Amino acid sequence: MAFLTHLLACIFGTGAWVAINGLWVELPLIVNDLPEGWYLPSYLTILIQMANIGPLFVTIMHKVKPGWLKEIIVIYTILILGIIALFLLAFFWKETTWIAGQLHSTGFLILTFFLSVVDCTSSVTFLPFMMQLQPKYITTYFIGEGLSGLIPGLLSLIQGVGMIKCVNVTQNENETLAWLNATDDYHIVTQYLPANFSVQIFLFLLSIMMVFCLVAFFFLTRQSQKDSSSTSLLQSMVTLNSYSTNDLSCNTGPSDQSKSTEDIIHNSETSSDNKVNYSWGHYVLIYFLTGWVNALTNGVLPSIQTYSCMPYGNLAYHLSAALGSMANPLACLIAMFLPSRSLMFLVLLSVVGTGFGAYNMMTAVMSPCPILQNSHWGIVLIVISWVLFIGTLSYVKVMIGIILRSKSHSALVWCGAAVQLGSMIGALVMFPLVNVYGFFRSADLCNMSCPR
């Protein structure tokens, strides 16, 4: 039964960000058919930040009217909304409309906004719900959340997203004089290879994953109800035992052998969760780390991954994306078997992860000609740097979740709010640098002229 619950928690976690992660890895195919082209990622970033209205509403309601907004109802609502939006997106993602004299992909943008609301709201609802289950299942949930990026990434690799070839193209300077053997202009262009299956099939697969998440959540709610019933039965047995002990000893005063139910339950949870008493300063540090780590992993670095990896070749980009996605669930497994609640260790690990992120940022700034570009060591270093960046900071995120889970339900809600705030700040900082000021330069693998 425990294994089944672990499996359900993992499947439930995959629904957290599978929709948006799937759209990000599918962008190299989508942009070729939509009028926004490569400006589409900037639109996607803005839509995700606008979708923070979902977690903001949940957080405010939790503060103003605690208990009024039931998490189970909210989760059911957003999961069903996600399934419907993905299903419709598979049919209408190419639909366009003329707005203010320009053609826009309204079908894709509108449905993507609803998917963003679903995924953003999951940050402040999924974790608090997991608190209703035993603490050992929360790490499994984080593994599933990591798989929400890994599985779409693997699907995109199978699909062949972004695979290119360099083709020689000949153009006559003057086509009217072609019969006179006019001078030919030879140049190389980058062409994307056709995918192994369509965008529509990819979106259907994502919707199926959301269906699995909904089914897993249904069974997890039943399991949480059983756990609540078991807890109530335990409280009744402890209370009955307390009264029996008092009667047998004929003691009218407080008995050392008969602790209150709350104390026994509290001590049991404390021993199982290894609770540590933190000061308010410690909690400020924990929430700061939460915002900082998520700003880097969800906002800053994803915006420049193509600039960081593509100059080293298509293989480096795909390895960084795929292995980086694998690093997330691997870090969750390590946290399960080798947990560390030391704040000093988590701060140190955050600094190390930030260092790897700084290296990735440096290569992006130097694009299209970063260091060690024409060396195999350059490929090895950039892939390792991205994997360790994601792995170290994922471990920090998991341990922060475990620490706050042992505090209270409210702590996890505010943890989700810190996740979204950090992600929003990171994205808003990078948006003008990438899309407005053109601070980063893309690399054309077929037409790069860098010194060797």
Side-chain angles (χ1 to χ4, degrees):
M1 191 63 188
F3 172 78
L4 179 60
T5 307
H6 276 295
L7 180 62
L8 291 174
C10 184
I11 296 174
F12 176 58
T14 59
W17 281 90
V18 67
I20 296 302
N21 286 334
L23 292 181
W24 274 114
V25 300
E26 194 70 1
L27 279 180
L29 281 182
I30 293 177
V31 296
N32 294 325
D33 294 308
L34 296 184
E36 289 84 1
W38 275 107
Y39 287 104
L40 196 61
S42 62
Y43 284 91
L44 187 57
T45 303
I46 294 299
L47 287 175
I48 293 174
Q49 302 315 316
M50 290 174 58
N52 278 305
I53 188 175
L56 179 62
F57 173 76
V58 173
T59 303
I60 292 176
M61 292 305 298
H62 175 75
K63 184 68 175 179
V64 176
K65 292 186 176 180
W68 183 81
L69 196 62
K70 302 297 183 182
E71 283 166 354
I72 292 181
I73 296 178
V74 175
I75 294 175
Y76 270 123
T77 302
I78 63 175
L79 287 179
I80 294 174
L81 177 63
I83 293 171
I84 295 174
L86 279 171
F87 186 79
L88 293 177
L89 189 62
F91 292 100
F92 299 108
W93 70 276
K94 284 187 177 181
E95 294 297 319
T96 57
T97 305
W98 287 96
I99 300 176
Q102 292 185 340
L103 194 63
H104 289 282
S105 51
T106 50
F108 178 84
L109 295 176
I110 292 174
L111 292 172
T112 298
F113 171 75
F114 285 109
L115 291 176
S116 301
V117 172
V118 170
D119 288 3
C120 290
T121 309
S122 71
S123 295
V124 294
T125 54
F126 282 20
L127 264 180
F129 167 76
M130 289 302 299
M131 189 179 178
Q132 301 178 24
L133 301 174
Q134 298 180 25
K136 60 184 178 182
Y137 297 122
I138 195 169
T139 306
T140 311
Y141 165 80
F142 277 112
I143 294 176
E145 192 173 278
L147 292 176
S148 68
L150 172 62
I151 295 177
L154 293 179
L155 288 176
S156 70
L157 289 178
I158 297 172
Q159 187 183 17
V161 170
M163 301 304 294
I164 64 172
K165 65 178 179 179
C166 300
V167 180
N168 284 321
V169 176
T170 303
Q171 291 181 340
N172 289 326
E173 291 182 353
N174 189 347
E175 293 183 358
T176 62
L177 298 178
W179 59 279
L180 294 177
N181 194 23
T183 304
D184 290 334
D185 179 21
Y186 295 94
H187 66 283
I188 300 175
V189 296
T190 302
Q191 291 186 356
Y192 285 92
L193 298 176
N196 295 322
F197 53 88
S198 66
V199 174
Q200 186 180 50
I201 295 178
F202 182 85
L203 294 174
F204 277 137
L205 293 175
L206 293 184
S207 64
I208 291 173
M209 289 183 62
M210 289 293 291
V211 171
F212 286 154
C213 176
L214 177 62
V215 173
F217 176 66
F218 171 76
F219 287 106
L220 283 176
T221 55
R222 299 185 64 180
Q223 181 63 35
S224 66
Q225 292 171 359
K226 291 180 181 179
D227 290 345
S228 299
S229 300
S230 300
T231 303
S232 300
L233 179 61
L234 176 61
Q235 291 176 348
S236 300
M237 294 176 63
V238 171
T239 304
L240 180 61
N241 179 64
S242 175
Y243 285 134
S244 299
T245 303
N246 287 337
D247 292 341
L248 290 175
S249 60
C250 298
N251 188 355
T252 57
S255 173
D256 293 336
Q257 298 177 352
S258 56
K259 298 181 181 180
S260 67
T261 303
E262 291 78 6
D263 290 339
I264 293 177
I265 300 298
H266 174 77
N267 292 337
S268 175
E269 290 182 351
T270 302
S271 60
S272 61
D273 286 351
N274 295 322
K275 283 187 178 179
V276 179
N277 292 323
Y278 296 108
S279 65
W280 283 107
H282 289 152
Y283 281 107
V284 170
L285 175 61
I286 290 173
Y287 284 118
F288 172 78
L289 285 180
T290 302
W292 174 258
V293 167
N294 283 279
L296 294 181
T297 56
N298 299 338
V300 176
L301 271 301
S303 303
I304 53 90
Q305 187 170 16
T306 53
Y307 299 98
S308 174
C309 300
M310 286 302 292
Y312 294 99
N314 198 54
L315 177 63
Y317 174 74
H318 280 284
L319 285 178
S320 299
L323 296 180
S325 298
M326 295 179 186
N328 193 311
L330 180 60
C332 296
L333 283 175
I334 294 175
M336 177 183 293
F337 296 104
L338 296 174
S340 174
R341 292 170 178 261
S342 170
L343 290 184
M344 183 62 67
F345 177 74
L346 295 180
V347 170
L348 178 61
L349 209 57
S350 300
V351 172
V352 172
T354 302
F356 288 118
Y359 178 80
N360 300 335
M361 178 64 72
M362 180 187 68
T363 58
V365 171
M366 298 177 66
S367 176
C369 300
I371 59 174
L372 300 175
Q373 181 186 26
N374 300 310
S375 169
H376 292 297
W377 285 108
I379 299 176
V380 172
L381 285 177
I382 194 63
V383 171
I384 291 177
S385 180
W386 272 98
V387 170
L388 292 180
F389 162 73
I390 296 175
T392 52
L393 297 188
S394 294
Y395 181 91
V396 174
K397 287 193 286 186
V398 173
M399 289 311 307
I400 288 176
I402 293 175
I403 290 173
L404 295 180
R405 190 257 176 245
S406 65
K407 165 104 175 136
S408 66
H409 176 279
S410 178
L412 282 180
V413 173
W414 287 108
C415 175
V419 168
Q420 291 306 122
L421 179 62
S423 302
M424 180 182 67
I425 293 175
L428 292 180
V429 168
M430 294 305 298
F431 178 79
L433 296 179
V434 175
N435 299 284
V436 179
Y437 300 108
F439 192 73
F440 301 91
R441 296 176 56 195
S442 59
D444 187 347
L445 297 179
C446 298
N447 295 283
M448 287 194 300
S449 58
C450 296
R452 293 183 177 273

mmCIF file of all heavy atoms in Angstrom, residues 347-389:
data_model
loop_
_atom_site.group_PDB
_atom_site.id
_atom_site.type_symbol
_atom_site.label_atom_id
_atom_site.label_comp_id
_atom_site.label_asym_id
_atom_site.label_seq_id
_atom_site.Cartn_x
_atom_site.Cartn_y
_atom_site.Cartn_z
ATOM 1 N N VAL A 347 22.556 26.865 2.380
ATOM 2 C CA VAL A 347 23.087 28.136 1.873
ATOM 3 C C VAL A 347 24.333 27.885 1.031
ATOM 4 O O VAL A 347 24.494 28.450 -0.063
ATOM 5 C CB VAL A 347 23.393 29.098 3.034
ATOM 6 C CG1 VAL A 347 24.173 30.313 2.532
ATOM 7 C CG2 VAL A 347 22.101 29.547 3.708
ATOM 8 N N LEU A 348 25.229 27.020 1.537
ATOM 9 C CA LEU A 348 26.452 26.699 0.787
ATOM 10 C C LEU A 348 26.119 26.060 -0.559
ATOM 11 O O LEU A 348 26.710 26.399 -1.593
ATOM 12 C CB LEU A 348 27.334 25.756 1.616
ATOM 13 C CG LEU A 348 28.638 25.286 0.955
ATOM 14 C CD1 LEU A 348 29.537 26.481 0.654
ATOM 15 C CD2 LEU A 348 29.361 24.292 1.861
ATOM 16 N N LEU A 349 25.154 25.151 -0.553
ATOM 17 C CA LEU A 349 24.757 24.491 -1.791
ATOM 18 C C LEU A 349 24.125 25.485 -2.760
ATOM 19 O O LEU A 349 24.316 25.388 -3.985
ATOM 20 C CB LEU A 349 23.777 23.358 -1.477
ATOM 21 C CG LEU A 349 23.755 22.152 -2.431
ATOM 22 C CD1 LEU A 349 25.125 21.519 -2.539
ATOM 23 C CD2 LEU A 349 22.735 21.125 -1.973
ATOM 24 N N SER A 350 23.386 26.449 -2.221
ATOM 25 C CA SER A 350 22.806 27.493 -3.074
ATOM 26 C C SER A 350 23.891 28.344 -3.727
ATOM 27 O O SER A 350 23.780 28.726 -4.896
ATOM 28 C CB SER A 350 21.864 28.382 -2.258
ATOM 29 O OG SER A 350 20.804 27.631 -1.700
ATOM 30 N N VAL A 351 24.943 28.630 -2.968
ATOM 31 C CA VAL A 351 26.058 29.408 -3.517
ATOM 32 C C VAL A 351 26.757 28.619 -4.627
ATOM 33 O O VAL A 351 27.096 29.175 -5.691
ATOM 34 C CB VAL A 351 27.048 29.780 -2.401
ATOM 35 C CG1 VAL A 351 28.310 30.407 -2.985
ATOM 36 C CG2 VAL A 351 26.396 30.719 -1.396
ATOM 37 N N VAL A 352 26.960 27.318 -4.405
ATOM 38 C CA VAL A 352 27.599 26.479 -5.428
ATOM 39 C C VAL A 352 26.730 26.442 -6.688
ATOM 40 O O VAL A 352 27.222 26.598 -7.816
ATOM 41 C CB VAL A 352 27.832 25.052 -4.884
ATOM 42 C CG1 VAL A 352 28.311 24.121 -6.000
ATOM 43 C CG2 VAL A 352 28.850 25.082 -3.751
ATOM 44 N N GLY A 353 25.419 26.217 -6.510
ATOM 45 C CA GLY A 353 24.521 26.194 -7.662
ATOM 46 C C GLY A 353 24.495 27.519 -8.395
ATOM 47 O O GLY A 353 24.445 27.564 -9.631
ATOM 48 N N THR A 354 24.537 28.628 -7.642
ATOM 49 C CA THR A 354 24.578 29.951 -8.260
ATOM 50 C C THR A 354 25.868 30.128 -9.063
ATOM 51 O O THR A 354 25.863 30.775 -10.121
ATOM 52 C CB THR A 354 24.471 31.036 -7.184
ATOM 53 O OG1 THR A 354 23.254 30.849 -6.445
ATOM 54 C CG2 THR A 354 24.469 32.421 -7.803
ATOM 55 N N GLY A 355 26.962 29.534 -8.576
ATOM 56 C CA GLY A 355 28.222 29.600 -9.313
ATOM 57 C C GLY A 355 28.115 28.911 -10.670
ATOM 58 O O GLY A 355 28.594 29.442 -11.688
ATOM 59 N N PHE A 356 27.494 27.727 -10.708
ATOM 60 C CA PHE A 356 27.283 27.054 -11.996
ATOM 61 C C PHE A 356 26.370 27.888 -12.891
ATOM 62 O O PHE A 356 26.588 27.974 -14.107
ATOM 63 C CB PHE A 356 26.675 25.666 -11.780
ATOM 64 C CG PHE A 356 27.633 24.669 -11.194
ATOM 65 C CD1 PHE A 356 27.388 24.089 -9.955
ATOM 66 C CD2 PHE A 356 28.787 24.316 -11.871
ATOM 67 C CE1 PHE A 356 28.268 23.175 -9.412
ATOM 68 C CE2 PHE A 356 29.679 23.398 -11.339
ATOM 69 C CZ PHE A 356 29.426 22.825 -10.098
ATOM 70 N N GLY A 357 25.352 28.513 -12.277
ATOM 71 C CA GLY A 357 24.483 29.389 -13.054
ATOM 72 C C GLY A 357 25.238 30.581 -13.624
ATOM 73 O O GLY A 357 24.957 31.025 -14.744
ATOM 74 N N ALA A 358 26.210 31.105 -12.858
ATOM 75 C CA ALA A 358 27.010 32.233 -13.338
ATOM 76 C C ALA A 358 27.848 31.833 -14.551
ATOM 77 O O ALA A 358 28.006 32.612 -15.500
ATOM 78 C CB ALA A 358 27.910 32.753 -12.221
ATOM 79 N N TYR A 359 28.378 30.594 -14.536
ATOM 80 C CA TYR A 359 29.134 30.108 -15.704
ATOM 81 C C TYR A 359 28.222 30.006 -16.926
ATOM 82 O O TYR A 359 28.600 30.398 -18.040
ATOM 83 C CB TYR A 359 29.762 28.746 -15.403
ATOM 84 C CG TYR A 359 30.522 28.160 -16.580
ATOM 85 C CD1 TYR A 359 31.810 28.577 -16.872
ATOM 86 C CD2 TYR A 359 29.930 27.200 -17.395
ATOM 87 C CE1 TYR A 359 32.508 28.047 -17.944
ATOM 88 C CE2 TYR A 359 30.613 26.654 -18.472
ATOM 89 C CZ TYR A 359 31.895 27.087 -18.740
ATOM 90 O OH TYR A 359 32.589 26.562 -19.824
ATOM 91 N N ASN A 360 27.006 29.484 -16.714
ATOM 92 C CA ASN A 360 26.060 29.385 -17.824
ATOM 93 C C ASN A 360 25.706 30.766 -18.358
ATOM 94 O O ASN A 360 25.590 30.970 -19.573
ATOM 95 C CB ASN A 360 24.784 28.668 -17.362
ATOM 96 C CG ASN A 360 25.059 27.267 -16.862
ATOM 97 O OD1 ASN A 360 26.041 26.640 -17.238
ATOM 98 N ND2 ASN A 360 24.191 26.758 -16.004
ATOM 99 N N MET A 361 25.532 31.724 -17.454
ATOM 100 C CA MET A 361 25.230 33.090 -17.863
ATOM 101 C C MET A 361 26.394 33.696 -18.647
ATOM 102 O O MET A 361 26.196 34.403 -19.638
ATOM 103 C CB MET A 361 24.906 33.939 -16.632
ATOM 104 C CG MET A 361 24.618 35.404 -16.926
ATOM 105 S SD MET A 361 23.141 35.661 -17.944
ATOM 106 C CE MET A 361 21.859 35.257 -16.756
ATOM 107 N N MET A 362 27.629 33.414 -18.213
ATOM 108 C CA MET A 362 28.803 33.944 -18.893
ATOM 109 C C MET A 362 28.871 33.448 -20.333
ATOM 110 O O MET A 362 29.140 34.219 -21.264
ATOM 111 C CB MET A 362 30.072 33.543 -18.139
ATOM 112 C CG MET A 362 31.363 34.048 -18.784
ATOM 113 S SD MET A 362 32.843 33.385 -17.993
ATOM 114 C CE MET A 362 32.715 31.646 -18.456
ATOM 115 N N THR A 363 28.619 32.151 -20.549
ATOM 116 C CA THR A 363 28.653 31.617 -21.914
ATOM 117 C C THR A 363 27.545 32.227 -22.767
ATOM 118 O O THR A 363 27.724 32.432 -23.975
ATOM 119 C CB THR A 363 28.514 30.088 -21.894
ATOM 120 O OG1 THR A 363 27.283 29.718 -21.247
ATOM 121 C CG2 THR A 363 29.674 29.443 -21.163
ATOM 122 N N ALA A 364 26.386 32.533 -22.142
ATOM 123 C CA ALA A 364 25.303 33.158 -22.893
ATOM 124 C C ALA A 364 25.667 34.582 -23.295
ATOM 125 O O ALA A 364 25.370 35.016 -24.415
ATOM 126 C CB ALA A 364 24.025 33.153 -22.064
ATOM 127 N N VAL A 365 26.306 35.320 -22.383
ATOM 128 C CA VAL A 365 26.723 36.683 -22.688
ATOM 129 C C VAL A 365 27.763 36.693 -23.807
ATOM 130 O O VAL A 365 27.752 37.588 -24.673
ATOM 131 C CB VAL A 365 27.283 37.364 -21.421
ATOM 132 C CG1 VAL A 365 27.929 38.701 -21.757
ATOM 133 C CG2 VAL A 365 26.172 37.554 -20.390
ATOM 134 N N MET A 366 28.634 35.678 -23.841
ATOM 135 C CA MET A 366 29.688 35.606 -24.849
ATOM 136 C C MET A 366 29.195 35.039 -26.174
ATOM 137 O O MET A 366 29.946 35.001 -27.147
ATOM 138 C CB MET A 366 30.839 34.749 -24.326
ATOM 139 C CG MET A 366 31.514 35.297 -23.089
ATOM 140 S SD MET A 366 32.815 34.207 -22.436
ATOM 141 C CE MET A 366 34.007 34.296 -23.780
ATOM 142 N N SER A 367 27.936 34.560 -26.224
ATOM 143 C CA SER A 367 27.390 34.027 -27.474
ATOM 144 C C SER A 367 27.435 35.108 -28.575
ATOM 145 O O SER A 367 27.210 36.284 -28.296
ATOM 146 C CB SER A 367 25.949 33.573 -27.241
ATOM 147 O OG SER A 367 25.356 33.135 -28.436
ATOM 148 N N PRO A 368 27.772 34.724 -29.814
ATOM 149 C CA PRO A 368 27.885 33.362 -30.358
ATOM 150 C C PRO A 368 29.275 32.748 -30.302
ATOM 151 O O PRO A 368 29.491 31.720 -30.945
ATOM 152 C CB PRO A 368 27.450 33.580 -31.813
ATOM 153 C CG PRO A 368 27.929 34.950 -32.143
ATOM 154 C CD PRO A 368 27.794 35.747 -30.875
ATOM 155 N N CYS A 369 30.180 33.363 -29.567
ATOM 156 C CA CYS A 369 31.548 32.842 -29.521
ATOM 157 C C CYS A 369 32.020 32.699 -28.075
ATOM 158 O O CYS A 369 32.884 33.458 -27.605
ATOM 159 C CB CYS A 369 32.500 33.768 -30.289
ATOM 160 S SG CYS A 369 32.078 33.983 -32.035
ATOM 161 N N PRO A 370 31.472 31.735 -27.309
ATOM 162 C CA PRO A 370 31.901 31.553 -25.914
ATOM 163 C C PRO A 370 33.249 30.851 -25.826
ATOM 164 O O PRO A 370 33.803 30.397 -26.835
ATOM 165 C CB PRO A 370 30.780 30.674 -25.337
ATOM 166 C CG PRO A 370 30.319 29.873 -26.504
ATOM 167 C CD PRO A 370 30.421 30.776 -27.700
ATOM 168 N N ILE A 371 33.757 30.734 -24.604
ATOM 169 C CA ILE A 371 35.044 30.084 -24.401
ATOM 170 C C ILE A 371 34.950 28.599 -24.731
ATOM 171 O O ILE A 371 33.896 27.974 -24.584
ATOM 172 C CB ILE A 371 35.537 30.273 -22.952
ATOM 173 C CG1 ILE A 371 34.528 29.681 -21.955
ATOM 174 C CG2 ILE A 371 35.757 31.737 -22.646
ATOM 175 C CD1 ILE A 371 34.995 29.694 -20.532
ATOM 176 N N LEU A 372 36.060 28.037 -25.211
ATOM 177 C CA LEU A 372 36.170 26.611 -25.530
ATOM 178 C C LEU A 372 35.098 26.156 -26.521
ATOM 179 O O LEU A 372 34.658 25.009 -26.508
ATOM 180 C CB LEU A 372 36.081 25.758 -24.253
ATOM 181 C CG LEU A 372 37.143 26.008 -23.177
ATOM 182 C CD1 LEU A 372 36.845 25.175 -21.934
ATOM 183 C CD2 LEU A 372 38.526 25.693 -23.729
ATOM 184 N N GLN A 373 34.717 27.062 -27.425
ATOM 185 C CA GLN A 373 33.638 26.734 -28.348
ATOM 186 C C GLN A 373 34.029 25.612 -29.314
ATOM 187 O O GLN A 373 33.210 24.740 -29.623
ATOM 188 C CB GLN A 373 33.246 27.974 -29.153
ATOM 189 C CG GLN A 373 32.098 27.722 -30.130
ATOM 190 C CD GLN A 373 31.830 28.918 -30.994
ATOM 191 O OE1 GLN A 373 32.721 29.737 -31.226
ATOM 192 N NE2 GLN A 373 30.605 29.054 -31.472
ATOM 193 N N ASN A 374 35.259 25.613 -29.767
ATOM 194 C CA ASN A 374 35.695 24.636 -30.756
ATOM 195 C C ASN A 374 36.416 23.453 -30.123
ATOM 196 O O ASN A 374 37.180 22.756 -30.785
ATOM 197 C CB ASN A 374 36.624 25.313 -31.779
ATOM 198 C CG ASN A 374 35.925 26.453 -32.508
ATOM 199 O OD1 ASN A 374 34.824 26.281 -33.020
ATOM 200 N ND2 ASN A 374 36.566 27.621 -32.539
ATOM 201 N N SER A 375 36.149 23.236 -28.837
ATOM 202 C CA SER A 375 36.787 22.125 -28.124
ATOM 203 C C SER A 375 35.719 21.207 -27.540
ATOM 204 O O SER A 375 34.625 21.649 -27.170
ATOM 205 C CB SER A 375 37.672 22.674 -26.994
ATOM 206 O OG SER A 375 38.105 21.642 -26.142
ATOM 207 N N HIS A 376 36.052 19.903 -27.496
ATOM 208 C CA HIS A 376 35.142 18.953 -26.860
ATOM 209 C C HIS A 376 34.967 19.271 -25.377
ATOM 210 O O HIS A 376 33.924 18.962 -24.785
ATOM 211 C CB HIS A 376 35.658 17.521 -27.031
ATOM 212 C CG HIS A 376 35.603 17.043 -28.464
ATOM 213 N ND1 HIS A 376 34.423 16.906 -29.143
ATOM 214 C CD2 HIS A 376 36.587 16.688 -29.331
ATOM 215 C CE1 HIS A 376 34.665 16.464 -30.371
ATOM 216 N NE2 HIS A 376 35.982 16.328 -30.508
ATOM 217 N N TRP A 377 36.011 19.878 -24.778
ATOM 218 C CA TRP A 377 35.904 20.237 -23.363
ATOM 219 C C TRP A 377 34.819 21.296 -23.153
ATOM 220 O O TRP A 377 34.178 21.344 -22.099
ATOM 221 C CB TRP A 377 37.245 20.745 -22.845
ATOM 222 C CG TRP A 377 38.242 19.655 -22.631
ATOM 223 C CD1 TRP A 377 39.351 19.382 -23.376
ATOM 224 C CD2 TRP A 377 38.204 18.675 -21.591
ATOM 225 N NE1 TRP A 377 40.015 18.296 -22.877
ATOM 226 C CE2 TRP A 377 39.331 17.832 -21.773
ATOM 227 C CE3 TRP A 377 37.337 18.411 -20.532
ATOM 228 C CZ2 TRP A 377 39.600 16.768 -20.933
ATOM 229 C CZ3 TRP A 377 37.605 17.337 -19.701
ATOM 230 C CH2 TRP A 377 38.729 16.537 -19.904
ATOM 231 N N GLY A 378 34.624 22.162 -24.135
ATOM 232 C CA GLY A 378 33.577 23.159 -24.024
ATOM 233 C C GLY A 378 32.201 22.525 -23.928
ATOM 234 O O GLY A 378 31.362 22.940 -23.115
ATOM 235 N N ILE A 379 31.970 21.486 -24.755
ATOM 236 C CA ILE A 379 30.690 20.773 -24.711
ATOM 237 C C ILE A 379 30.512 20.083 -23.366
ATOM 238 O O ILE A 379 29.441 20.156 -22.740
ATOM 239 C CB ILE A 379 30.608 19.749 -25.856
ATOM 240 C CG1 ILE A 379 30.691 20.462 -27.211
ATOM 241 C CG2 ILE A 379 29.337 18.922 -25.750
ATOM 242 C CD1 ILE A 379 30.705 19.521 -28.390
ATOM 243 N N VAL A 380 31.577 19.407 -22.904
ATOM 244 C CA VAL A 380 31.506 18.676 -21.636
ATOM 245 C C VAL A 380 31.220 19.633 -20.486
ATOM 246 O O VAL A 380 30.358 19.371 -19.630
ATOM 247 C CB VAL A 380 32.818 17.903 -21.388
ATOM 248 C CG1 VAL A 380 32.825 17.301 -19.982
ATOM 249 C CG2 VAL A 380 33.000 16.801 -22.435
ATOM 250 N N LEU A 381 31.921 20.762 -20.451
ATOM 251 C CA LEU A 381 31.766 21.703 -19.348
ATOM 252 C C LEU A 381 30.375 22.332 -19.323
ATOM 253 O O LEU A 381 29.766 22.477 -18.250
ATOM 254 C CB LEU A 381 32.833 22.792 -19.434
ATOM 255 C CG LEU A 381 34.255 22.391 -19.026
ATOM 256 C CD1 LEU A 381 35.218 23.551 -19.222
ATOM 257 C CD2 LEU A 381 34.274 21.940 -17.562
ATOM 258 N N ILE A 382 29.847 22.702 -20.488
ATOM 259 C CA ILE A 382 28.541 23.363 -20.483
ATOM 260 C C ILE A 382 27.443 22.392 -20.080
ATOM 261 O O ILE A 382 26.501 22.753 -19.361
ATOM 262 C CB ILE A 382 28.247 24.013 -21.854
ATOM 263 C CG1 ILE A 382 27.076 24.985 -21.729
ATOM 264 C CG2 ILE A 382 27.946 22.968 -22.907
ATOM 265 C CD1 ILE A 382 27.337 26.145 -20.809
ATOM 266 N N VAL A 383 27.552 21.126 -20.509
ATOM 267 C CA VAL A 383 26.544 20.135 -20.127
ATOM 268 C C VAL A 383 26.626 19.864 -18.620
ATOM 269 O O VAL A 383 25.607 19.848 -17.915
ATOM 270 C CB VAL A 383 26.725 18.830 -20.930
ATOM 271 C CG1 VAL A 383 25.804 17.732 -20.373
ATOM 272 C CG2 VAL A 383 26.423 19.070 -22.398
ATOM 273 N N ILE A 384 27.850 19.650 -18.103
ATOM 274 C CA ILE A 384 28.025 19.389 -16.674
ATOM 275 C C ILE A 384 27.547 20.580 -15.846
ATOM 276 O O ILE A 384 26.895 20.420 -14.809
ATOM 277 C CB ILE A 384 29.495 19.061 -16.358
ATOM 278 C CG1 ILE A 384 29.870 17.695 -16.961
ATOM 279 C CG2 ILE A 384 29.740 19.045 -14.850
ATOM 280 C CD1 ILE A 384 31.317 17.323 -16.759
ATOM 281 N N SER A 385 27.849 21.774 -16.310
ATOM 282 C CA SER A 385 27.465 22.969 -15.566
ATOM 283 C C SER A 385 25.949 23.084 -15.459
ATOM 284 O O SER A 385 25.411 23.392 -14.388
ATOM 285 C CB SER A 385 28.040 24.213 -16.248
ATOM 286 O OG SER A 385 27.679 25.384 -15.546
ATOM 287 N N TRP A 386 25.240 22.821 -16.559
ATOM 288 C CA TRP A 386 23.782 22.898 -16.510
ATOM 289 C C TRP A 386 23.190 21.803 -15.632
ATOM 290 O O TRP A 386 22.242 22.039 -14.878
ATOM 291 C CB TRP A 386 23.204 22.813 -17.926
ATOM 292 C CG TRP A 386 23.104 24.154 -18.579
ATOM 293 C CD1 TRP A 386 23.984 24.707 -19.468
ATOM 294 C CD2 TRP A 386 22.083 25.135 -18.366
ATOM 295 N NE1 TRP A 386 23.573 25.971 -19.833
ATOM 296 C CE2 TRP A 386 22.405 26.264 -19.172
ATOM 297 C CE3 TRP A 386 20.939 25.183 -17.590
ATOM 298 C CZ2 TRP A 386 21.612 27.404 -19.207
ATOM 299 C CZ3 TRP A 386 20.141 26.323 -17.632
ATOM 300 C CH2 TRP A 386 20.481 27.406 -18.428
ATOM 301 N N VAL A 387 23.742 20.604 -15.697
ATOM 302 C CA VAL A 387 23.226 19.494 -14.888
ATOM 303 C C VAL A 387 23.439 19.783 -13.404
ATOM 304 O O VAL A 387 22.523 19.613 -12.581
ATOM 305 C CB VAL A 387 23.904 18.175 -15.285
ATOM 306 C CG1 VAL A 387 23.559 17.062 -14.301
ATOM 307 C CG2 VAL A 387 23.476 17.764 -16.693
ATOM 308 N N LEU A 388 24.634 20.238 -13.025
ATOM 309 C CA LEU A 388 24.913 20.514 -11.613
ATOM 310 C C LEU A 388 24.155 21.746 -11.122
ATOM 311 O O LEU A 388 23.765 21.815 -9.956
ATOM 312 C CB LEU A 388 26.414 20.695 -11.408
ATOM 313 C CG LEU A 388 27.253 19.428 -11.615
ATOM 314 C CD1 LEU A 388 28.729 19.718 -11.381
ATOM 315 C CD2 LEU A 388 26.782 18.311 -10.692
ATOM 316 N N PHE A 389 23.958 22.720 -11.988
ATOM 317 C CA PHE A 389 23.159 23.886 -11.623
ATOM 318 C C PHE A 389 21.749 23.465 -11.227
ATOM 319 O O PHE A 389 21.230 23.833 -10.165
ATOM 320 C CB PHE A 389 23.125 24.877 -12.789
ATOM 321 C CG PHE A 389 22.018 25.889 -12.709
ATOM 322 C CD1 PHE A 389 22.073 26.926 -11.794
ATOM 323 C CD2 PHE A 389 20.911 25.790 -13.544
ATOM 324 C CE1 PHE A 389 21.049 27.859 -11.709
ATOM 325 C CE2 PHE A 389 19.887 26.716 -13.472
ATOM 326 C CZ PHE A 389 19.950 27.747 -12.557
#
